[in-house]
Amino acid sequence: QVQLVESGGGLVQAGGSLRLSCAASGSIFSLNDMAWYRQAPGKQRELVAIIARAGTPTYADSVKGRFAISRDNAKNMVYLQMNSLKPDDTGVYYCRAITRTTSYWGQGTQVTVSS
């Protein structure tokens, strides 16, 4: 079992920045990829960024150049630095930990970007 806890969400103005954190605990030895997803009200959950164990990142086109995913394996932490935020970035952001056989989700943290 793996537990994930997100933090760092909040209310910001367009153009502002937030840094989200995800702390993993439990049976974390087999964790491979870590990812951030987001879900706006009434919309499908979408992948924002994913990072492999060695640190190779991949981003959704909508956030390229603005967001940066990173991880600290020694601390079992994953981060999402979000810059130049837009109102369309508003939603609940979820951390996902992926193993060879299953995945785990955090409870999410709200990000609201005002215009």
Side-chain angles (χ1 to χ4, degrees), residues 50-65:
I50 188 166
I51 185 168
R53 183 187 298 271
T56 303
T58 304
Y59 300 96
D61 287 343
S62 60
V63 306
K64 284 182 179 177

Side-chain angles (χ1 to χ4, degrees):
Q1 291 291 321
V2 173
Q3 294 79 46
L4 303 173
V5 179
E6 303 97 333
S7 62
L11 174 64
V12 298
Q13 294 181 322
S17 298
L18 284 173
R19 181 177 173 86
L20 306 183
S21 299
C22 174
S25 61
S27 301
I28 50 82
F29 304 105
S30 64
L31 295 182
N32 192 4
D33 294 345
M34 300 290 291
W36 287 97
Y37 289 72
R38 68 187 180 190
Q39 187 167 22
K43 291 195 170 185
Q44 179 72 276
R45 188 173 299 183
E46 64 174 342
L47 177 67
V48 175
I50 188 166
I51 185 168
R53 183 187 298 271
T56 303
T58 304
Y59 300 96
D61 287 343
S62 60
V63 306
K64 284 182 179 177
R66 300 189 298 119
F67 291 11
I69 188 171
S70 61
R71 66 190 295 171
D72 186 334
N73 292 336
K75 296 181 179 179
N76 300 318
M77 296 287 293
V78 184
Y79 307 95
L80 185 68
Q81 178 67 46
M82 307 189 298
N83 300 322
S84 301
L85 283 162
K86 305 174 181 179
D88 285 348
D89 295 319
T90 293
V92 179
Y93 283 68
Y94 297 91
C95 181
R96 185 189 185 196
I98 302 165
T99 72
R100 198 162 291 171
T101 58
T102 190
S103 66
Y104 304 88
W105 294 88
Q107 293 185 4
T109 184
Q110 177 71 42
V111 172
T112 303
V113 184
S114 62
S115 59

